């Protein structure tokens, strides 16, 4: 039986990944500051602990696990990352987690480790045109991420690659682009655009008004959680280290995203554009390397995942 460790198993992607790995027959140890908020954990063993503490890292990575998935990070959506108020915590906490975990894994003989990086590492100067953002993997340098979150991810990518180079660890790195779905944060200030807009639409009566940060013409792509998990699995099974984008190429404006959710909810709402933290003007996943190396890329329409997510958030709102 394959033994795996999932760091960040109480979070959105980590809890879904734990469920999938357990369903596939793995023995899973999960670790996080908190248990999953919306459903019981599927981990065989769940350790509630702080991965900034090297002793906790040694305790959870106490054996040569077949695979380790490192998803723990101090993170959130634009309201959390771009406010400026969380910069020191984001850099300090996430860097400590990564420094401690890779060292503990090396010491206990773990060979294969997955690291979740982000599209936020890409330079701001390549994402000013909302219709033509550049996110090919080899455009990461000269580095100029627009957030400390992106800088920490870039540092940690290099940390994992250095352990691979110097200590023979088998590393896999994905740069996720806006993953969304049910059982994710939706109202605590860390939620991302799909969850925030689903909540606003669900909370607003027909013919009412919702607020959107900025002019809504900023572009993004969004990947449904199931396809993210499929990408992680395929990357782990491949012999490609990465970094590689795991995202959707279906780019929409935030206004279009809001319209899609209104259509699903069967509501006609007006939009009020207000000041707020925004991030880059345009971003889309470039899946050319993903297709070349893994022979696969996500295909599911954005609206399919939004339907499931809206239904789930609507249930939370009416609870
Ligand atoms: P999440 O916030 O739901 O999960 C992260 C988990 O890490 C949380 O449960 C949190 O409690 C845990 N954590 C934070 N600090 C910790 C600590 N000191 N010790 C132990 N646990 C700690 O986020 P997510 O959306 O599931 O993202 C998972 C990973 O993927 C993160 O590394 C994130 O940066 C990366 N990522 C996510 C997205 C996305 O769109 N969701 C995009 C790019 C990258």
């Amino acid at each position: 039986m394959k033994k795996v460790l999932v760091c960040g198993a109480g979070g959105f992607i980590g809890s879904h990944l734990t469920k999938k790995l357990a369903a596939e027959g793995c023995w899973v140890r999960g670790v996080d500051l908190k248990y999953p908020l919306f459903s019981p954990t599927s981990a065989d063993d769940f350790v509630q602990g702080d991965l900034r503490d090297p002793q906790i890292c040694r305790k959870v990575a106490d054996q040569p696990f077949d695979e380790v998935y490192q998803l723990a990070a101090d993170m959130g959506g634009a309201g959390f990352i771009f406010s400026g108020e969380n910069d020191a915590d984001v850099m300090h906490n996430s860097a400590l987690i990564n420094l401690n975990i890779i060292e503990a894994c090396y010491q206990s003989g773990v060979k294969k480790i997955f690291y979740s990086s982000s599209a936020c590492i890409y330079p701001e100067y390549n994402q000013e045109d909302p219709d033509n953002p550049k996110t090919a993997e080899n455009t990461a340098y000269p580095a100029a991420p627009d957030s400390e979150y992106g800088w920490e991810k870039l540092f940690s990518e290099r940390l994992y690659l250095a352990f691979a180079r110097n200590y023979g660890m088998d590393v896999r790195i994905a740069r996720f682009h806006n993953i969304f779905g049910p059982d994710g944060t939706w109202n605590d200030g860390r939620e991302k655009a799909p969850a925030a807009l689903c909540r606003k639409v669900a909370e607003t009566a027909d013919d009412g008004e919702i607020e959107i940060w900025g002019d809504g013409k900023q572009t993004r792509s969004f990947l449904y959680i199931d396809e993210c998990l499929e990408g992680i699995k395929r990357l782990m099974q491949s012999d490609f280290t990465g970094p590689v984008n795991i995202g959707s190429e279906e780019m929409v404006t935030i206004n279009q995203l809001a319209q899609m959710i209104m259509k699903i909810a069967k509501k006609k709402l007006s939009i009020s554009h207000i000041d707020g933290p925004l991030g880059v003007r345009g971003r889309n996943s470039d899946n050319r390397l993903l297709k070349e190396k893994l022979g696969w890329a996500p295909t599911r329409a954005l609206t399919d995942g939004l339907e499931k997510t809206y239904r789930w958030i609507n249930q939370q709102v009416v609870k």
Side-chain angles (χ1 to χ4, degrees):
M1 184 189 267
K2 203 195 268 183
K3 288 187 116 180
V4 306
L5 172 65
V6 178
C7 305
F12 167 52
I13 302 173
S15 60
H16 282 279
L17 178 66
T18 300
K19 194 185 287 177
K20 184 175 161 97
L21 291 167
E24 287 171 356
C26 298
W27 185 91
V28 186
R29 172 179 290 162
V31 54
D32 202 298
L33 287 172
K34 62 174 186 356
Y35 280 81
L37 294 176
F38 306 108
S39 53
T41 181
S42 307
D44 298 277
D45 177 30
F46 192 97
V47 179
Q48 198 168 6
D50 189 337
L51 295 168
R52 290 171 300 182
D53 178 346
Q55 280 185 354
I56 296 286
C57 290
R58 282 196 290 274
K59 185 178 146 195
V60 294
D62 61 350
Q63 51 189 289
F65 281 97
D66 297 300
E67 292 172 356
V68 172
Y69 295 83
Q70 199 323 68
L71 299 143
D74 201 356
M75 74 90 81
F80 184 78
I81 294 298
F82 297 114
S83 70
E85 286 164 21
N86 306 301
D87 289 352
D89 284 349
V90 164
M91 294 198 93
H92 177 262
N93 294 343
S94 296
L96 273 186
I97 293 170
N98 285 308
L99 288 162
N100 290 336
I101 273 293
I102 188 74
E103 171 68 13
C105 285
Y106 170 59
Q107 294 296 342
S108 62
V110 170
K111 279 276 171 278
K112 203 165 189 178
I113 179 161
F114 171 89
Y115 174 59
S116 52
S117 182
S118 165
C120 290
I121 65 98
Y122 287 111
E124 192 171 11
Y125 57 76
N126 277 335
Q127 301 174 88
E128 286 163 0
D129 176 358
D131 298 322
N132 192 25
K134 291 186 187 62
T135 60
E137 286 79 350
N138 61 6
T139 63
Y141 297 94
D146 69 337
S147 65
E148 303 302 2
Y149 171 75
W151 279 106
E152 189 283 326
K153 288 288 186 196
L154 209 49
F155 163 77
S156 290
E157 282 190 2
R158 301 186 69 96
L159 174 73
Y160 286 87
L161 290 171
F163 269 74
R165 200 160 55 240
N166 294 160
Y167 298 131
M169 293 185 75
D170 196 7
V171 164
R172 298 287 182 277
I173 301 174
R175 293 175 180 158
F176 293 153
H177 289 243
N178 291 316
I179 314 304
F180 75 101
D183 284 3
T185 177
W186 60 280
N187 68 345
D188 67 352
R190 290 184 183 239
E191 66 276 16
K192 296 180 148 212
L197 287 173
C198 284
R199 185 198 70 231
K200 290 177 188 184
V201 171
E203 283 174 347
T204 308
D206 205 5
D207 293 328
E209 182 180 276
I210 58 166
E211 290 181 340
I212 283 186
W213 292 341
D215 63 8
K217 293 178 185 159
Q218 62 273 35
T219 52
R220 292 292 186 275
S221 71
F222 303 93
L223 183 69
Y224 190 64
I225 180 70
D226 289 1
E227 292 203 296
C228 171
L229 298 183
E230 183 65 26
I232 296 173
K233 183 175 173 177
R234 286 174 184 258
L235 180 58
M236 284 298 265
Q237 285 172 348
S238 81
D239 56 10
F240 184 55
T241 298
V244 64
N245 293 327
I246 293 188
S248 159
E249 287 183 326
E250 185 183 346
M251 187 170 76
V252 294
T253 66
I254 299 300
N255 286 333
Q256 286 169 334
L257 180 69
Q259 295 297 344
M260 286 170 128
I261 297 169
M262 286 182 218
K263 194 170 167 203
I264 288 164
K266 300 190 175 62
K267 289 186 187 180
K268 263 197 163 1
L269 308 174
S270 55
I271 296 176
S272 160
H273 292 105
I274 59 163
D275 283 345
L278 292 175
V280 294
R281 194 64 186 145
R283 179 174 289 150
N284 192 11
S285 187
D286 180 330
N287 288 347
R288 285 174 297 175
L289 186 68
L290 180 70
K291 286 176 196 156
E292 182 195 322
K293 296 295 181 185
L294 304 191
W296 171 86
T299 52
R300 195 158 166 174
L302 171 58
T303 186
D304 288 356
L306 284 177
E307 285 234 28
K308 292 194 165 60
T309 309
Y310 180 77
R311 216 179 304 138
W312 180 78
I313 290 180
N314 194 38
Q315 279 168 8
Q316 309 302 307
V317 167
V318 295
K319 256 184 198 170

